[in-house]
Amino acid sequence: MLDPRLLKTDPDHLVAALAKRGVSVDLSQFLALDEQRKRLQQETEQLQNERNTRAKTIGKAKAAGEDVAPLLAEVSGLGDKLDAAKTALADVQQAFNDAWIQLPNLPQECVPAGKDEKDNVELRRWGTPTAMNFKPRDHVELGEHEATTGLAMDFAAATKLTGSRFVVMRGRMARLHRALIQFMLDQHTQQHGYEEVYVPYIVNSDSLMGTGQLPKFAEDLFHLEGEQDYYLIPTAEVPVTNLVRDEIIAAEKMPLKLVCHTPCFRSEAGSYGRDTRGMIRQHQFEKVELVQMVRPQDSDAALEELTGHAERILQLLELPYRTMQLCGGDMGASAARTLDLEVWLPSQDCYREISSCSTFEDYQARRMQARWRNPETGKPELLHTLNGSGLAIGRTLVAIMENYQQEDGTVHIPAVLVPYMGGVTTL
RNA sequence: GGAGGGGUGGCAGAGCGGUUGAAUGCACCGGUCUUGAAAACCGGCGUAGGCUAAUAACCUACCCAGGGUUCGAAUCCCUGCCCCUCCGCCA
C-alpha cells in the first residue's frame, strides 16, 4: 500500500511513477473521497465530543443526587445522528481504502519505463553459454533417457496421480533435487549470514493481504475448502515476511536476514499454453527464499547484496546467467525495483528466469504494519522488506541437466554438489 | 470432539457501568546525589487520525476482533479468533 499522504505531498511524482508501469491514475476520485472523509470525520468527532461531554454531565449530576430526567431528554436523538455520521464515514473510508490498496508500488527512479519483458535491461552477464558440439536435449528428454536411471523424471506418472504441471522424480534425480535444497540452505546460512526458518505452508488471508497477493491476485492461489479461510502458499515470501506483521523490531536486531525452503503452490491460471512442457512451470515446486527486513536507508544496498547471494549460487554451480533490471510494466505490483536472474538453457537457446529479487520499500510494511524502532527518533517507523529466490529448485535442476549434459545423454553433477550426492558424479 | 478458565500499555498485573488512556511494579529516558557506578529520590514514558506554523495546546479513536444494550462500556450481552487446563482421539 502506498502512503496516502503522497496524494497531497507529491501527486505529480505519484502519477509519473505509476505511468512507468503503464498505469494511469485519476487522482481526482481519491481527492474527492478524501475531502468527504475529512468532512464526515470532523462531523462525527464533533458529535462524539458532544455525547461524551453530556454523558459526563449526567454522571456527575447522578452522583450528586440530582434529577437527570431533563438531561436525558436533551440527548435524545443524538445517538441516531451519531450512528448515521459514523456509517457515512465508514463507507467513505472503505471506498477510499478499497481503491487505494489497488495501486501498485512506485517504481524507483532507476527503473526504466516499459510494457513487458522486452523492455527489461540487461545489467551484466556471468559465464558464457555452454558450448556443445551436438544438439542439446531438453531436460524432459534427458529425464526420461535410458542413460540416466530411466524415467528419473516421470511426467506421465504425475499426470495420473494428479494432473498436468506436476512431476514425479526417482532415484538420483530425486536426490539431486534434494541436494540442491541442502546446498543452497547451507550456503546462505553459513556464508551469507541468513537464519534458517521453518514455516507453515498454509496461511490465512491476512498474511496474503500483507504481502500483496490479495486482494488482487486471488486467481493465482490455491484456496482450501473448509471453514477456515486458508490458502496454500505461492512462495515462502508470504509466511516469512509476515513474521514481522504487526511487530515493532528493535533496532539492534536489524537487519533481519531469513532463508527458508518451502514448496510453492501456484494455480497458474492465465498461463495456459505457456511452458507446458517439463518442469519450468509447475503447480508445485520447491524454492529456497531469501528475505530481509532492513532499515529504510539500507534497502537499496540490501537489494544488491541479496541479489548477489542468489547469483553466488549460480556461480558455484557454474551456470551461465545474466542479471536483468525489470522495466515498470514487468514488475510485480508490490515491488519498487526488481532484478531477475536468468539462467542459460541450451535447449531453448536463451536465458530463462530462475530468480527474482525485489525491494518493496515500505509498500508491504505499510500493509502489514511492520515497523522498527528508530533510535534517532525513538519512534516506531515502517521498515523495508526485500526478498528473492535463492533459487527456484526445479528450474535449477533443469539448468543443471541441460548445461551439464553429455552427448550420450548422461548428466554430470556440478562439483559443489558431489558431496551432497554421496560422491556420485553422474546422473 | 467434550468440560472449564482466560485475552488490558514493551513486560508483569489491577480495574469489572460514570472525572480510567487506564492503578501498581519492572524495563526505558532525563535529573539530583556520587570521584565513577549502584542504590535512593524527583520527573518523564503508547499508537493513530483531526485541527495547527508547531514534534505546543485541544479534539477523536484504540483495553483480541466484530456486533448489541446504555445518556455513558476496558467493565454487561452475543458472535468469531486466539491462548491455557483437564478428558477423548491421533502422526
Side-chain angles (χ1 to χ4, degrees):
Chain A
M1 188 167 70
L2 294 173
D3 187 346
R5 279 175 293 204
L6 281 172
L7 206 48
K8 285 164 224 162
T9 57
D10 209 353
D12 296 339
H13 174 236
L14 179 64
V15 171
L18 288 178
K20 283 209 283 191
R21 286 180 175 273
V23 172
S24 63
V25 267
D26 177 16
L27 293 187
S28 65
Q29 55 153 339
F30 289 110
L31 289 166
L33 282 169
D34 194 52
E35 272 311 307
Q36 275 189 62
R37 192 214 85 233
K38 228 170 177 173
R39 211 192 65 238
L40 287 166
Q41 184 169 339
Q42 286 173 20
E43 190 183 319
T44 307
E45 291 188 354
Q46 200 186 330
L47 285 167
Q48 284 171 323
N49 179 230
E50 189 177 342
R51 180 204 60 196
N52 292 346
T53 312
R54 287 179 183 272
K56 271 181 192 170
T57 312
I58 292 170
K60 281 182 190 166
K62 216 168 180 181
E66 295 168 21
D67 177 20
V68 296
L71 290 171
L72 287 177
E74 278 178 40
V75 295
S76 72
L78 219 182
D80 289 343
K81 265 164 75 181
L82 220 188
D83 282 347
K86 272 184 178 171
T87 307
L89 176 61
D91 287 349
V92 169
Q93 279 175 328
Q94 184 80 50
F96 183 92
N97 289 340
D98 286 352
W100 189 256
I101 205 168
Q102 302 276 344
L103 292 181
N105 202 354
L106 306 184
Q108 290 185 353
E109 213 49 51
C110 62
V111 172
K115 205 162 131 265
D116 51 36
E117 67 272 11
K118 287 192 285 295
D119 297 316
N120 294 342
V121 176
E122 183 177 313
L123 296 182
R124 52 185 176 262
R125 284 187 189 209
W126 186 92
T128 46
T130 316
M132 288 179 190
N133 49 16
F134 57 92
K135 187 175 181 300
R137 299 176 171 90
D138 79 355
H139 69 280
V140 179
E141 269 184 88
L142 292 164
E144 294 173 344
H145 199 277
E146 336 178 303
T148 64
T149 46
L151 272 191
M153 202 176 261
D154 190 342
F155 294 97
T159 303
K160 180 181 71 179
L161 299 180
T162 311
S164 64
R165 295 197 189 279
F166 290 91
V167 69
V168 170
M169 286 180 275
R170 295 175 190 266
R172 289 179 180 179
M173 187 71 75
R175 182 169 188 178
L176 178 59
H177 186 252
R178 172 165 59 88
L180 279 169
I181 297 167
Q182 305 298 346
F183 160 65
M184 291 183 198
L185 285 171
D186 285 351
Q187 178 69 23
H188 294 310
T189 54
Q190 291 164 25
Q191 306 300 323
H192 299 157
Y194 289 78
E195 180 187 1
E196 184 174 349
V197 286
Y198 171 84
V199 295
Y201 303 154
I202 295 174
V203 293
N204 57 34
S205 53
D206 285 345
S207 294
L208 290 158
M209 282 284 192
T211 32
Q213 283 77 17
L214 290 178
K216 267 186 108 170
F217 306 103
E219 69 278 4
D220 297 334
L221 301 166
F222 284 110
H223 190 190
L224 301 184
E225 288 278 343
E227 289 177 26
Q228 244 96 17
D229 196 22
Y230 284 166
Y231 296 80
L232 295 178
I233 57 169
T235 160
E237 167 194 353
V238 179
V240 176
T241 310
N242 274 279
L243 286 171
V244 296
R245 172 153 54 88
D246 296 322
E247 299 289 337
I248 299 171
I249 309 298
E252 55 271 22
K253 286 193 178 167
M254 307 272 281
L256 285 174
K257 293 169 68 177
L258 304 172
V259 61
C260 184
H261 156 246
T262 70
C264 304
F265 304 94
R266 299 190 182 174
S267 80
E268 294 299 341
S271 66
Y272 300 110
R274 283 184 68 194
D275 304 315
T276 48
R277 182 175 164 83
M279 281 188 70
I280 296 290
R281 191 175 300 275
Q282 303 263 286
H283 288 310
Q284 171 186 318
F285 62 94
E286 307 299 304
K287 185 155 56 65
V288 169
E289 184 78 358
L290 303 172
V291 175
Q292 294 199 22
M293 291 81 169
V294 306
R295 305 185 303 170
Q297 61 267 41
D298 297 335
S299 63
D300 288 345
L303 178 63
E304 300 294 341
E305 183 201 66
L306 187 149
T307 307
H309 294 151
E311 289 184 47
R312 185 74 188 133
I313 299 291
L314 288 166
Q315 292 166 10
L316 288 167
L317 292 171
E318 299 182 72
L319 292 168
Y321 70 91
R322 61 177 187 171
T323 308
M324 305 293 288
Q325 155 91 60
L326 295 202
C327 71
D330 203 27
M331 289 198 306
S334 302
R337 185 183 183 209
T338 298
L339 300 177
D340 271 11
L341 304 183
E342 297 182 345
V343 71
W344 178 255
L345 289 190
S347 74
Q348 300 189 8
D349 198 35
C350 69
Y351 289 94
R352 288 299 306 263
E353 177 186 342
I354 196 167
S355 171
S356 191
C357 304
S358 302
T359 174
F360 304 92
E361 298 185 339
D362 61 11
Y363 188 89
Q364 290 183 329
R366 184 169 293 104
R367 285 186 170 208
M368 289 192 297
Q369 281 303 298
R371 295 171 294 176
W372 70 299
R373 197 171 289 278
N374 184 346
E376 285 174 27
T377 60
K379 299 279 184 195
E381 295 173 10
L382 294 173
L383 48 74
H384 281 194
T385 60
L386 304 95
N387 68 55
S389 357
L391 306 164
I393 302 300
R395 289 188 181 183
T396 308
L397 185 68
V398 167
I400 288 172
M401 292 176 71
E402 298 205 1
N403 283 284
Y404 280 83
Q405 66 176 297
Q406 307 301 305
E407 190 161 11
D408 64 0
T410 58
V411 173
H412 288 341
I413 306 286
V416 75
L417 293 178
V418 170
Y420 291 90
M421 292 294 288
V424 170
T425 57
T426 307
L427 206 58

